[in-house]
Amino acid sequence: MTVVASALTAVVVLSLIALAIGRGASVADRDPDAAPGLTDPIVESSRIDAEPIPADRSISSLPDADWVATIAGRTGIPIRALSASAGAALRLADEQPACRLEWTTLAAIGRVETVHSTIFDSALDETGIATPPIVGIPLDGDGVLAIPDTDGGAIDGDTDWDRAVGPMQFIPTTWAIIGSDGNADGRADPQQIDDAVLTAARYLCQRERDLADPADWAAAVHAYNPNTEYRTSVASFADRYADSANG
């Protein structure tokens, strides 16, 4: 079991009170002095296509394979998860260039939320789906926000209360609004890594945010999960990944 799994009990009350989509477990090794915003080596590179990226192309196919292998080795991020984070950053650089979203932020959120889809002994299968499905605790008002069931259990398997689901931990109401098809299979599945990460990217870039601006970056992560400890942890991992990637 990962470090997040062992820490989940102690922090779940704080990390599941978000009003928006992010409801992940906090992690150890937090750096209270961490700050977001190091240069993203893939978005700043020439790997962004000159022509618009086709919407029917899986985001995980967008990053350069050699770059992914190199950065995975430097950062310890699994290749499948890194491909999704880098690909989503490239797609958003094409869709919303003013947002300036870095793959490091997406990877950091994935690390804090589910340890790159490995929490609760889950793993990504060959199609990028978290198996077994990642499902959070019921949001039943017992120390957490109370959200009665909104989806008939279709997404989270609970017909009484909503739960956060998938690699990036979305609640059903948010997924219903912004759920995206990141692997170009014609459907949006919150348990599928490409779909989940692209949805997170689009969520962070809402409200015309420029994530190269520290204030906008903080606002975006706050919208994902308003817990201060959560935001500090995401910043710490984002900077750690950027430092490793650039080293």
Side-chain angles (χ1 to χ4, degrees):
M1 189 65 71
T2 63
V3 64
V4 165
S6 64
L8 183 62
T9 300
V11 300
V12 72
V13 170
L14 290 175
S15 62
L16 290 176
I17 62 173
L19 295 176
I21 60 176
R23 288 180 169 77
S26 296
V27 295
D29 301 324
R30 300 183 184 93
D31 178 1
D33 297 321
L38 296 185
T39 300
D40 178 345
I42 194 161
V43 171
E44 292 296 328
S45 78
S46 61
R47 295 188 180 92
I48 299 176
D49 295 337
E51 297 298 323
I53 295 171
D56 60 353
R57 185 176 173 187
S58 171
I59 61 169
S60 288
S61 70
L62 301 180
D64 179 82
D66 291 338
W67 179 91
V68 170
T70 298
I71 300 304
R74 291 177 181 175
T75 62
I77 303 171
I79 284 178
R80 189 67 181 80
L82 178 58
S83 296
S85 293
L90 288 170
R91 177 65 61 81
L92 266 292
D94 185 69
E95 290 181 359
Q96 301 181 50
C99 179
R100 296 196 285 181
L101 171 65
E102 299 180 357
W103 68 267
T104 49
T105 294
L106 293 168
I109 290 174
R111 173 62 173 80
V112 173
E113 292 287 358
T114 63
V115 196
H116 302 303
S117 308
T118 65
I119 197 171
F120 304 139
D121 291 328
S122 188
L124 297 176
D125 68 13
E126 65 277 3
T127 64
I129 294 176
T131 307
I134 300 172
V135 180
I137 66 172
L139 300 176
D140 58 6
D142 184 11
V144 296
L145 190 69
I147 307 180
D149 174 61
T150 62
D151 69 329
I155 291 177
D156 56 16
D158 190 335
T159 58
D160 295 320
W161 301 98
D162 275 353
R163 299 172 182 241
V165 299
M168 303 298 276
Q169 290 289 275
F170 287 93
I171 57 174
T173 48
T174 304
W175 189 261
I177 295 169
I178 201 171
S180 302
D181 177 15
N183 66 339
D185 68 350
R187 61 189 295 266
D189 179 356
Q191 298 287 350
Q192 206 281 330
I193 187 67
D194 300 315
D195 295 359
V197 176
L198 180 60
T199 300
R202 288 173 172 167
Y203 187 89
L204 293 167
C205 284
Q206 290 186 119
R207 303 182 185 277
E208 299 183 349
R209 295 185 181 108
D210 174 4
L211 299 192
D213 180 327
D216 274 4
W217 186 94
V221 178
H222 178 86
Y224 206 100
N225 187 320
N227 182 270
T228 300
E229 187 178 34
Y230 177 92
R231 188 166 65 252
T232 298
S233 189
V234 170
S236 177
F237 275 106
D239 277 352
R240 192 176 307 178
Y241 290 149
D243 280 340
S244 297
N246 290 329

